[in-house]
């Protein structure tokens, strides 16, 4: 199973919106709504931000939203804040008890 | 509070064995899967597989099958990741995380990670 494709880096200014993409195939992102997004500050535990394409866990601000179209999932962060600077990983179920992460996107808040 | 606490950093030599742990608290340990995730130095996250502590059912991602072993002791709410013979390429941070359903990807929460360093 190949890793999902994410842009290596994205940047935005405080208060702006950014959208991170995650491209898979018809065998993973395109076939299942079990797509999640994680925020990872290096040296800390990753944090679940979105699951099942667009669901927010309790405690995650509504600045974070998720969507999917065909084989590509997206994470939109509005009202960028300094604390949003981190690595972001998408993850998809790929059937038959297999799962795949994206390569990760480093978000820089300018 | 739902929490996963992992064992501390390890430094081992190639060929040695190792077992690291992940202790759950604040929820019914036997009713959720535990996933293991690897992060090699400077690299992204890799899903290694899952174990269901209720009956120790395990599912390994193909690239990790035969390389590691998952186990669990439900009497002490602890899951384990075991290597019988470490290689330098096993150097990484290993995370455990709770997973509600095997076909899902909503890992929450995560343990703090265990740094494993394998060097001669």
């Amino acid at each position: 199973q190949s890793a999902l494709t994410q842009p290596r880096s994205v940047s935005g200014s405080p208060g702006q919106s950014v959208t991170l993409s995650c491209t898979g195939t018809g065998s993973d992102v395109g076939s299942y709504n079990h797509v999640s997004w994680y925020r990872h500050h290096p040296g800390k535990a990753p944090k679940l931000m979105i699951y099942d394409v667009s669901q927010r866990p309790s405690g995650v601000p509504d600045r974070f939203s998720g969507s999917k179209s065909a084989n590509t999932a997206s994470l939109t962060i509005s009202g960028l804040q300094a604390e949003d600077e981190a690595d972001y990983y998408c993850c998809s179920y790929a059937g038959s008890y297999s799962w795949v992460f994206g390569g990760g996107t480093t978000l820089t808040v300018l | 509070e739902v929490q996963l606490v992992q064992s501390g950093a390890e430094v081992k030599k190639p060929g040695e064995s190792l077992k690291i742990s992940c202790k759950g608290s604040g929820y019914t340990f036997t009713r959720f899967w535990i996933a293991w995730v690897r992060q090699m130095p400077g690299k992204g996250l890799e899903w290694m597989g899952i174990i269901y502590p209720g009956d120790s059912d395990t599912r390994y991602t193909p690239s990790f099958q035969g390389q590691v072993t998952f186990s669990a002791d439900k009497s002490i709410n602890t899951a384990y990741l075991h290597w019988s013979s470490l290689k330098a390429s096993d150097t990484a941070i290993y995370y455990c995380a709770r997973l509600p359903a095997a076909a899902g990807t909503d890992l929450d929460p995560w343990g703090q990670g265990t740094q494993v360093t394998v060097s001669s």
Side-chain angles (χ1 to χ4, degrees):
Chain A
Q1 193 73 34
S2 298
L4 307 176
T5 300
Q6 297 184 248
R8 186 162 290 238
S9 64
V10 167
S11 63
S13 299
Q16 284 188 331
S17 293
V18 294
T19 296
L20 283 59
S21 64
C22 169
T23 301
T25 69
S27 298
D28 39 60
V29 176
S31 288
Y32 301 95
N33 286 326
H34 296 304
V35 177
S36 55
W37 289 88
Y38 298 90
R39 181 172 72 182
H40 189 203
H41 291 113
K44 295 196 169 183
K47 178 183 166 94
L48 178 67
M49 305 304 288
I50 293 287
Y51 68 97
D52 289 351
V53 175
S54 60
Q55 302 302 304
R56 268 190 316 276
S58 173
V60 172
D62 59 7
R63 302 187 295 108
F64 291 84
S65 62
S67 62
K68 188 184 85 165
S69 176
N71 296 338
T72 297
S74 299
L75 172 71
T76 297
I77 309 172
S78 58
L80 267 181
Q81 300 180 2
E83 69 193 47
D84 298 330
E85 183 162 295
D87 296 323
Y88 288 82
Y89 293 91
C90 60
C91 182
S92 176
Y93 184 65
S96 300
Y97 299 109
S98 66
W99 310 263
V100 60
F101 280 102
T105 295
T106 297
L107 171 62
T108 301
V109 179
L110 301 169
Chain B
E1 178 194 8
V2 176
Q3 201 172 5
L4 295 173
V5 178
Q6 298 184 230
S7 49
E10 300 275 1
V11 179
K12 292 288 191 179
K13 293 184 178 350
E16 292 185 332
S17 64
L18 174 64
K19 182 184 279 190
I20 63 174
S21 67
C22 168
K23 183 175 176 63
S25 62
Y27 72 100
T28 303
F29 189 69
T30 53
R31 292 188 181 174
F32 292 80
W33 295 80
I34 292 289
W36 288 97
V37 176
R38 181 176 78 176
Q39 185 175 37
M40 299 177 74
K43 302 296 185 182
L45 304 176
E46 298 174 88
W47 194 303
M48 301 174 69
I50 60 174
I51 182 167
Y52 191 73
D55 61 6
S56 290
D57 185 12
T58 56
R59 313 281 173 159
Y60 297 94
T61 297
S63 55
F64 291 95
Q65 180 84 46
Q67 307 305 308
V68 295
T69 303
F70 306 149
S71 62
D73 184 341
K74 58 187 180 182
S75 69
I76 55 171
N77 289 358
T78 301
Y80 301 97
L81 172 57
H82 175 249
W83 294 261
S84 58
S85 180
L86 286 160
K87 303 185 283 286
S89 57
D90 293 318
T91 295
I93 299 173
Y94 293 87
Y95 294 99
C96 64
R98 190 182 73 162
L99 179 68
T105 60
D106 44 331
L107 299 172
D108 183 42
W110 294 56
Q112 82 276 21
T114 295
Q115 173 70 56
V116 174
T117 302
V118 184
S119 174
S120 55

